[in-house]
Amino acid sequence: MTETLLETKDLSRYFRLAGPWGRGPLLQAVEGVNIAVMAGETLGLVGESGCGKSTLGRLILALLSPTRGRVRFEGEEVTALPKARLKQLRRQMQIVFQDPYSSLNPRMMVRQILEEPYIIHNLGAKAERRQWVAALLEEVGLGAEHLDRYPHEFSGGQRQRLGVARALALKPKLIVADEPVSALDVSIQAQILNLLADLQKRHGLTYLFISHDLSVISQISDRVAVMYLCRLVELAPRAVFDSARLHPYTEALLAAVPLPDPERPFKPPELKGDPPSPINLPSGCPFHPRCPEAQLPVCRDEIPEYRETAVGHWVACHFR
Amino acid sequence: MTPAAPSPLLQIRDLQVHFDTPAGLLRAVGGVSFDLDAGETLGLVGESGCGKTVTALSILRLLPATHADMTGEIRFAGEDLQTLSEPRLREIRGNRIAMVFQEPMTALNPVFTIGEQVAEALRLHRGLSHQDAWQAAGQALTRVGLPEAQRRLKQYPHELSGGLRQRALIAMALACEPEILIADEPTTALDVTIQAQILALLKNLKEEMGLAVLFITHNLGIVAQTTERVAVMYAGAIMEQAATKELYKNPAHPYTRSLLAAVPRLDFHQPPGEKLAAIRGQVPGLEAPPTGCLFMDRCPEAREQCQEPPPWVEVEPGHQVRCWNYA
């Protein structure tokens, strides 16, 4: 459990937006992220929309190239690999997408969808592949009777099972799950979360689990990373979130969740305003304009260092 | 209002809605009855497709008459909204009963400014002049905590963030000081910190204005924190109704219990990956809903008797459940 599977160093990605007269403003999607994913763990990545968590997931999978910084997978520098080697490496890392409706090709039958990864990577003979596909379906709780159906014939939960099956096809070590249950109803969401936990146990998978939903993150993660405006603001083992003092943003995020218990008082701290735009970042700490504990001038002028305050507990705040 | 209000503000009896679709007749709502008292917040909770939005839309007759067939009774302050003439209904819709929708971008008209849209309601329902309506619109925006209301009046919806748009939509709904606000998933499209702001705002406004709120959501956390009473819907019918505290403490219907058990808890104390109690199978199709209990196929406690429609049983005063377990 203590072996590092994946590591990023100063990982950053900017996007140049199109303006009315050509080059527009620069959008900072991910800035200076240092993160290590341990083999066999589930690392939860939580943050509000637009904070850069999906972009980080894509950078890690080399689906996007970084503006700056590096990604290492099992000690190998992913960012500098020749194409052929990268393709080999892709077998080790797969993704499950949020929307099970748009991430499956509507013109392909389940059989074809699940066989495609093997064809792309030139694995197995036809008969062999058929067996693998049938086994995959069983693995995610579907049956051979589903092989000749099209995605539209399935419910949302079943489609997400297909998405998981496709990600499993090449027996990856790492699966980046990008909001895999956000589009699902609670009763179905529970099925998929259980399935992911089962598969992890059975195959020793490592998950980077991206979600905006703290309850879901707390359900599944061994460690949790919190992102705000393109930066990591906190990372810690799960138990820390129960006890220790946390980054003011994490505290606000936790307090903002309405709990399904009417006896527990709901008194979220008033966070002023909206998250600022990633096009025009605030100076200093990205959270200072909304932070209830911000102190001028330090929070406005200095970017807080992302540092380890206790073993395994990383925070970027001047006052933690 | 008289001291002992004889009847609830809104009374819905045996509401049924069928949709005529190319695939056949769908029963979206199959016999829903509930009351909403003045000043109370009732949560209508259920998973997607359970008929909660259709119920809300039918209250104001917002469903297309050509495709939707509605039966049953919807009484507001003694009048049956089903049989009311369209001009009379228009005096109620948006004026005495207002609605806030889930998606603030599609609910606002992109080609009119916020001010024009808020003022329109005031001109139509209150007969205000352009100038007075504009001024009242500014006040309405201030009341919902929209900063720099005067500037916002002249802005178009796309210039506002999601949270601010939802505030503008609430301002529009409350501008005419309605008696009932129907809020259909008003925070689902928003981030949690913004959601917390909007929930706090709705609570304050409700207390300030003595509003009755019909709060429609799939989020059991929001129901717990914002409502006084809950009705749990499943496959087009209400399965259980109770005071919110009672329902969370003593959920009676197997569906309610399964649903509560399936919600991941915000709890970093337990080890990760603990099994959630998922509900097996999926919601029955609306083309041919089961004739007996709608939850029968997925219910861990189903038995022979459940083939028959279950009766309403009052397990505690004000706590009703539709299940053979208690008959």
Side-chain angles (χ1 to χ4, degrees), chain A residues 123-229:
Chain A
L123 298 172
K126 194 145 194 163
E128 225 172 340
R129 293 203 295 257
R130 286 200 158 188
Q131 276 179 8
W132 292 342
V133 167
L136 269 181
L137 270 186
E138 201 172 316
E139 188 104 61
V140 299
L142 295 171
E145 72 273 17
H146 296 113
L147 276 173
D148 293 314
R149 295 202 196 156
Y150 288 94
H152 78 263
E153 297 175 71
F154 294 90
S155 67
Q158 287 175 318
R159 273 185 242 207
Q160 200 53 294
R161 285 174 192 270
L162 291 173
V164 172
R166 180 175 58 184
L168 279 180
L170 299 168
K171 302 207 185 322
K173 289 186 178 145
L174 172 72
I175 290 185
V176 173
D178 189 359
E179 302 266 15
V181 296
S182 308
L184 306 174
D185 275 317
V186 269
S187 68
I188 309 298
Q189 172 179 302
Q191 292 177 3
I192 300 293
L193 289 173
N194 286 346
L195 174 70
L196 287 171
D198 281 347
L199 291 170
Q200 182 171 43
K201 259 182 229 142
R202 215 177 304 153
H203 300 289
L205 291 166
T206 305
Y207 291 139
L208 177 64
F209 193 100
I210 302 173
S211 177
H212 70 283
D213 186 332
L214 266 166
S215 308
V216 169
I217 288 280
S218 84
Q219 167 69 26
I220 199 158
S221 311
D222 297 297
R223 292 192 303 150
V224 179
V226 183
M227 233 177 142
Y228 184 75
L229 265 192

Side-chain angles (χ1 to χ4, degrees), chain A residues 40-172:
Chain A
E41 77 166 342
T42 300
L43 177 61
L45 180 60
V46 67
E48 298 183 277
S49 41
C51 73
K53 52 193 192 304
S54 285
T55 305
L56 180 58
R58 270 149 231 245
L59 286 170
I60 281 173
L61 291 173
L63 294 173
L64 276 175
S65 56
T67 305
R68 201 178 66 235
R70 296 195 300 254
V71 179
R72 275 171 175 280
F73 186 83
E74 295 194 303
E76 196 171 3
E77 187 106 7
V78 178
T79 16
L81 283 183
K83 254 191 168 163
R85 176 70 192 121
L86 184 60
K87 187 175 168 187
Q88 278 180 349
L89 202 67
R90 286 200 191 285
R91 286 171 55 180
Q92 305 295 331
M93 29 197 218
Q94 293 288 320
I95 185 165
V96 176
F97 294 98
Q98 166 171 5
D99 185 353
Y101 293 81
S102 59
S103 57
L104 299 171
N105 188 334
R107 296 175 178 221
M108 284 164 83
M109 285 188 294
V110 168
R111 174 192 299 288
Q112 297 167 298
I113 290 172
L114 295 184
E115 199 182 356
E116 205 179 21
Y118 301 121
I119 297 174
I120 289 171
H121 288 274
N122 234 329
L123 298 172
K126 194 145 194 163
E128 225 172 340
R129 293 203 295 257
R130 286 200 158 188
Q131 276 179 8
W132 292 342
V133 167
L136 269 181
L137 270 186
E138 201 172 316
E139 188 104 61
V140 299
L142 295 171
E145 72 273 17
H146 296 113
L147 276 173
D148 293 314
R149 295 202 196 156
Y150 288 94
H152 78 263
E153 297 175 71
F154 294 90
S155 67
Q158 287 175 318
R159 273 185 242 207
Q160 200 53 294
R161 285 174 192 270
L162 291 173
V164 172
R166 180 175 58 184
L168 279 180
L170 299 168
K171 302 207 185 322

